[in-house]
Amino acid sequence: MAKNVGRNESKRDALLRENERLRLAIKGLTSTRRYTVAAAITKEAVKYGCIGFFGWLSVRELAGKVTKVDAAVDMCTSLAESLKELVPNWFVQIFTVIVLFVSIVLVKRTRSRNKSLITRLAKTTADYERSIDPKRTSSNLGKDGDTNTGDGL
């Protein structure tokens, strides 16, 4: 019986030493993570600080001066006014409806092509996974790549 007590004590001591070793490793990882987060925040602060500073310098330098941008804005304004005189309102409305219709058709065509690509890739991926591991089960994705309704959040 004394042998069992000695073994339990040595196992307990080994577990305590392992626990302490793991605590030190976790402590090292958390301090490393803190430095990584601090470095990332500093990097973003420097990046956006520089953008803001040089934007401010540009505005300060150009304040009150006439530039080519002013001329371009004046040209676009005069172009818009001349279009209002040349083109009737109904034409603009019809043109807007045509552009909207063409946009909707293009979006539907793009979605259809993406869906067919996903279907083809899902089949190829499943075949590849089965070739690597014949016992592999499906991830229960639909044939078209949609998530199983029971898996929703």
Side-chain angles (χ1 to χ4, degrees):
M1 187 143 167
K3 290 182 181 181
N4 286 339
V5 172
R7 282 186 194 160
N8 288 338
E9 289 289 325
S10 64
K11 281 185 179 181
R12 184 175 185 275
D13 290 339
L15 287 174
L16 287 173
R17 282 192 302 274
E18 180 67 12
N19 190 10
E20 187 61 32
R21 185 187 67 78
L22 291 173
R23 282 182 195 225
L24 290 174
I26 289 173
K27 186 177 180 182
L29 289 174
T30 55
S31 65
T32 302
R33 185 171 180 204
R34 284 187 195 126
Y35 291 129
T36 304
V37 170
I41 290 172
T42 304
K43 177 183 169 187
E44 294 298 313
V46 168
K47 179 171 66 173
Y48 290 111
C50 287
I51 290 171
F53 177 71
F54 286 112
W56 174 77
L57 280 179
S58 300
V59 169
R60 192 180 102 193
E61 181 63 31
L62 296 174
K65 297 181 181 175
V66 176
T67 62
K68 292 180 181 178
V69 174
D70 294 327
V73 168
D74 289 341
M75 186 180 78
C76 290
T77 304
S78 62
L79 180 65
E81 289 173 0
S82 57
L83 277 178
K84 283 182 184 176
E85 293 175 11
L86 295 174
V87 178
N89 282 339
W90 62 268
F91 182 78
V92 173
Q93 291 171 350
I94 290 175
F95 181 73
T96 304
V97 169
I98 291 171
V99 168
L100 180 65
F101 177 74
V102 168
S103 298
I104 290 171
V105 168
L106 290 175
V107 165
K108 285 188 175 193
R109 182 183 294 170
T110 303
R111 283 187 179 171
S112 171
R113 286 183 179 172
N114 286 345
K115 203 68 140 168
S116 66
L117 177 66
I118 287 170
T119 303
R120 196 175 58 218
L121 288 177
K123 183 179 180 295
T124 305
T125 303
D127 292 342
Y128 175 70
E129 288 172 348
R130 272 190 233 102
S131 71
I132 292 174
D133 184 7
K135 296 179 182 178
R136 183 179 175 91
T137 59
S138 168
S139 59
N140 293 328
L141 290 179
K143 298 272 188 227
D144 57 356
D146 289 340
T147 304
N148 188 2
T149 55
D151 294 341
L153 295 176

